Amino acid sequence: MVPSAKKILLTAASVSLALSQNADAGERWGETSKNNPYVAGDMHNHNTCTDGSVAAGYAIDRSVGKGTAAAGGNNFDLDWFTLGNHGGSGNRDCRFSDASANIPGDNTTTYWSQTLGKTIDGITITSLKGTPNGTGTSAKMWRWQSIKEIEYPTIVNRAATYNKVLVEGLEWILPGHEHGDVAVIAGQNPRGYGNADKMAEFEYRFDRADTDAIGPVDASNNPVWAGKDNVNNSGTAGHQKAVAGIAWLQANHPLQSYAVPTHTERQGPFNPNGSAGYNIEHFRDFNNAGPTVAFGIEAPGHMAEGGVNGGSGSYGSGAVGGGTYGMQGVYTAKVGGLWDGLLGEGRNFFLFQSSDWHSRGVYGARDPGTTADFIPGEYTKLYVPNERRFSQQSIIDGMRSGNSYSVNADIIGSDMEFRAKGEWDYDWKTMGETLVVRPGEKVTLEMEMTVPASNNSPYSFNNPLLLPVGIKQPLNKPSLDHVDLITGDITGPIAPGATGYAVANASGVAGAAVVYNPSAKIAKQIQATKMQSRKLRDGSVRLSFRTTFIAGKTPFYIRARGTNIPPATPNVSDSAGNPLLDANNATVSCTDAACPSHLGTVGGVKKVTNDVQAWSNVWFYANPIFVRPYGAPQLLVEKNKELARKLAHDHHHWHDWDHWGHWGHWGRWAFNRD
């Protein structure tokens, strides 16, 4: 075991008043050893249990390990990690990587039919359970079994090695829709015991690719998980099954689970007769059915897939929006878009981002270049609050609270502060919280962030997207041009069936024209050159600014995003600073002698595509702070936070109670420092 280091009792977003104390090994539950207010992780990635290229254990090793992997390649030292593999089934033994990963010792693809009865990595599989599914090398293991018997034991093994918090999760293949991220931590305790049975049960019951009709059986050979709906898996009926799945989480694991739809624009709008896409009403249905479970949306991974015709995020021209915008789907990238529409109802609906790691495309897992995905922690980080005893529950609590932010290419680090307070009190509020003020009152907003001295990019040549505007900035040196403060009015939840609850969408760029919250706007744009700046010893730069808003009679929210791209950068951003369709990036040439050979070309000239595009077009997103005038009804985000607090108290979820109550006390104390 890694020796216990100093632990940090952290406030909501405070660096300067972090309190430290020593911990003995018996007290430690997986808390991080980093003195940061936030800790980085990844909740969406893949291995050979389904369609990934590397073993389950290898995915963990590269993501949370330090230094260089034994077989080559950098590790990325994440603080927490959730195995988020697809539902359904898989024919490869995921104790091995695929041949395409090009890892020494894993030079062939290994199938379950070849390894039954063998003990590998301390795990023995004697049979493929449930309804028989294929023969020979096509014989498949249902995911509920690999969750229980492969991935979770691998997590237990790795947790004892790394002193990191590891979770068994799922990329849910939703009935009626595309995909979503789910975790059910009930029963999990990877410090050497526990199980992932509840996670496996959810997958068996509600994943449309899992058509097993048996599941695990008892001593009398009777199914343990009876009552599965194996019929309604597509279209409108499938959506209702998905809602039932979220309601099941809410009823059974309201504080120990989450369900977050992912790459939601990729397959176009919802098809009532198929299994693709999401419209805004589906997110509303999910949040209504699972107010403490279905609290967000995930931006796409696959950030190095962009070619000369677009395709970053694995988004083709048929995606809603026609592709990605600043490496985000249009639902979250567009000011006034779907996310702003949900925030305009006052919903607890937050943004998250992960890697969606599968492979490096034409390269192996150890190579620095990629034409497909980044390893978790290499490019994308999801930051949640650090805690005195950081655990699996801390991840879910942090996500549910809204006090989180997502970063690409390390444009900022783990110590961001984003907070607001009223004119006549010192009760600072941070992301996911609600500030209550008087109409006409001045709201002070502060933001601080550190731009690191370097990132994980293997390229040191200047960013080709910035050269047309006269900026020479190496791709391995993060830079911040500005921060947008985006506001929108909150007019309250729309009732199911009411006008505006269901909104049709469209494939392609036509889908980008739909406005869900016309009041949303870039209220202020703060240039980095106008911020206070302090260079730190490690070469990083600490930036900060303070600004004010005047509260009116209508509740509103403030969210933030930042980028290295100046407004009106040709082929990248418009005059207001909004990202353009990322396919436009590929019209820019990469002319430096060090531009890699794998880039897409037009007329023999290399273009800004693949991983160079991802390292060039960089953004971060911070979740909103809500502002409500005195006397106005509580917002839905407040009501759902109170529900979580009540559930924690009523069901004696003491960790949750600590987070929602005691933790908030420390946050209020720390923010009184002004």
Side-chain angles (χ1 to χ4, degrees):
M1 298 288 286
V2 177
S4 177
K6 280 191 176 181
K7 297 196 306 182
I8 306 300
L9 177 63
L10 292 144
T11 66
S14 172
V15 181
S16 59
L17 286 179
L19 306 177
S20 64
Q21 66 181 60
N22 291 321
D24 58 39
E27 188 182 18
R28 182 167 49 77
W29 169 260
E31 70 282 355
T32 66
S33 59
K34 297 177 180 178
N35 300 348
N36 297 331
Y38 294 91
V39 284
D42 189 277
M43 66 177 186
H44 181 177
N45 44 77
H46 298 274
N47 58 62
T48 45
C49 283
T50 58
D51 61 346
S53 62
V54 300
Y58 185 87
I60 297 172
D61 293 339
R62 293 295 302 280
S63 302
V64 306
K66 298 180 180 180
T68 303
N74 293 328
N75 298 325
F76 297 106
D77 195 23
L78 287 175
D79 303 295
W80 59 270
F81 180 83
T82 298
L83 276 178
N85 215 9
H86 286 299
S89 60
N91 66 332
R92 292 176 295 171
D93 185 337
C94 39
R95 296 170 292 184
F96 297 91
S97 296
D98 193 81
S100 65
N102 193 27
I103 300 169
D106 288 342
N107 296 319
T108 59
T109 301
T110 306
Y111 301 99
W112 288 117
S113 61
Q114 301 168 327
T115 56
L116 291 179
K118 297 180 180 179
T119 300
I120 299 164
D121 203 16
I123 301 169
T124 306
I125 301 297
T126 58
S127 65
L128 301 180
K129 299 176 180 178
T131 305
N133 188 7
T135 60
T137 58
S138 296
K140 296 178 181 179
M141 176 183 286
W142 293 106
R143 278 291 287 134
W144 66 262
Q145 183 181 359
S146 60
I147 286 170
K148 284 166 56 75
E149 300 181 12
I150 302 295
E151 289 189 340
Y152 186 72
T154 300
I155 282 175
V156 171
N157 176 278
R158 291 323 197 263
T161 301
Y162 289 115
N163 189 35
K164 301 292 180 72
V165 177
L166 308 179
V167 174
E168 176 60 17
L170 170 75
E171 185 181 4
W172 182 21
I173 303 177
L174 276 83
H177 298 283
E178 217 207 283
H179 300 160
D181 287 319
V182 174
V184 184
I185 63 170
Q188 296 191 42
N189 188 330
R191 294 294 177 182
Y193 53 93
N195 59 68
D197 291 1
K198 294 302 180 182
M199 183 70 266
E201 181 180 359
F202 176 87
E203 189 279 336
Y204 170 80
R205 289 188 180 278
F206 297 108
D207 195 288
R208 67 174 158 88
D210 189 329
T211 56
D212 180 20
I214 299 173
V217 295
D218 61 20
S220 301
N221 214 36
N222 297 313
V224 175
W225 299 329
K228 178 181 181 181
D229 172 6
N230 233 349
V231 176
N232 296 305
N233 280 321
S234 63
T236 302
H239 170 67
Q240 294 307 319
K241 180 179 175 181
V243 172
I246 289 172
W248 185 89
L249 293 175
Q250 184 69 34
N252 293 283
H253 310 291
L255 301 182
Q256 293 182 296
S257 67
Y258 60 74
V260 176
T262 186
H263 43 66
T264 53
E265 304 92 342
R266 186 168 71 175
Q267 291 187 356
F270 177 68
N271 180 351
N273 299 307
S275 294
Y278 297 87
N279 293 341
I280 193 168
E281 61 267 26
H282 304 117
F283 302 107
R284 289 168 168 151
D285 288 348
F286 293 163
N287 186 240
N288 292 342
T292 67
V293 169
F295 46 69
I297 184 172
E298 188 194 352
H302 300 303
M303 291 291 89
E305 287 194 5
V308 294
N309 295 312
S312 59
S314 199
Y315 280 32
S317 59
V320 175
T324 58
Y325 294 73
M327 303 295 150
Q328 291 272 322
V330 73
Y331 282 166
T332 51
K334 179 182 175 65
V335 175
L338 182 142
W339 187 30
D340 282 318
L342 295 167
L343 295 179
E345 295 182 87
R347 290 185 183 271
N348 54 320
F349 216 80
F350 306 117
L351 175 63
F352 312 104
Q353 189 156 10
S354 294
S355 64
D356 203 354
W357 154 251
H358 286 72
S359 74
R360 299 188 84 80
V362 302
Y363 293 105
R366 300 174 298 144
D367 296 323
T370 173
T371 61
D373 307 332
F374 293 99
I375 294 174
E378 180 181 9
Y379 180 77
T380 299
K381 291 181 173 68
L382 171 58
Y383 285 102
V384 300
N386 200 348
E387 286 192 343
R388 183 164 51 93
R389 294 186 180 91
F390 193 80
S391 68
Q392 296 171 318
Q393 188 67 58
S394 304
I395 298 167
I396 295 179
D397 289 348
M399 291 171 60
R400 185 192 303 110
S401 74
N403 186 14
S404 69
Y405 61 104
S406 299
V407 176
N408 285 346
D410 292 315
I411 187 173
I412 62 172
S414 59
D415 56 359
M416 186 191 79
E417 297 189 36
F418 183 44
R419 60 185 193 159
K421 71 177 181 66
E423 187 173 357
W424 296 299
D425 63 57
Y426 295 95
D427 190 14
W428 289 96
K429 300 294 184 181
T430 189
M431 295 173 287
E433 296 185 321
T434 303
L435 177 67
V436 181
V437 295
R438 297 171 181 81
E441 186 172 344
K442 183 170 68 175
V443 174
T444 298
L445 183 139
E446 290 185 346
M447 195 167 191
E448 294 187 30
M449 65 221 89
T450 299
V451 178
S454 62
N455 57 27
N456 294 310
S457 175
Y459 308 120
S460 58
F461 57 86
N462 288 324
N463 186 335
L465 295 182
L466 297 181
L467 291 175
V469 291
I471 298 174
K472 294 183 178 180
Q473 182 67 41
L475 291 180
N476 62 348
K477 305 291 185 184
S479 66
L480 179 69
D481 181 79
H482 67 269
V483 168
D484 291 328
L485 299 177
I486 298 165
T487 63
D489 291 343
I490 299 173
T491 54
I494 302 174
T499 301
Y501 186 85
V503 180
N505 211 306
S507 297
V509 294
V514 181
V515 174
Y516 299 88
N517 186 346
S519 70
K521 61 183 182 296
I522 300 175
K524 299 193 177 189
Q525 188 170 85
I526 314 297
Q527 299 296 322
T529 55
K530 303 296 184 181
M531 300 179 192
Q532 292 185 350
S533 177
R534 178 166 56 93
K535 191 163 186 177
L536 306 181
R537 288 184 178 182
D538 63 359
S540 61
V541 177
R542 184 71 172 167
L543 299 174
S544 63
F545 65 86
R546 173 180 285 196
T547 189
T548 60
F549 295 84
I550 302 299
K553 296 181 180 180
T554 301
F556 69 103
Y557 59 87
I558 309 169
R559 63 180 180 91
R561 70 183 184 191
T563 180
N564 66 328
I565 302 296
T569 297
N571 301 298
V572 192
S573 62
D574 67 16
S575 59
N578 294 300
L580 298 176
L581 184 64
D582 290 336
N584 294 323
N585 299 171
T587 64
V588 180
S589 298
C590 190
T591 57
D592 195 284
C595 291
S597 60
H598 63 260
L599 298 182
T601 61
V602 175
V605 178
K606 296 174 186 175
K607 297 297 180 177
V608 179
T609 53
N610 302 118
D611 51 352
V612 170
Q613 179 189 34
W615 294 114
S616 300
N617 192 353
V618 181
W619 297 71
F620 78 82
Y621 278 76
N623 280 313
I625 300 169
F626 300 88
V627 182
R628 174 172 62 84
Y630 281 110
Q634 271 196 327
L635 305 178
L636 190 57
V637 64
E638 297 176 272
K639 294 178 181 178
N640 288 341
K641 180 167 285 193
E642 287 297 326
L643 173 62
R645 190 191 302 270
K646 183 177 185 300
L647 288 167
H649 181 266
D650 291 351
H651 294 88
H652 305 292
H653 291 284
W654 296 116
H655 183 102
D656 290 43
W657 180 243
D658 180 76
H659 180 86
W660 293 98
H662 179 260
W663 183 88
H665 165 76
W666 282 109
R668 289 190 296 273
W669 173 84
F671 290 154
N672 283 343
R673 68 184 189 269
D674 285 358

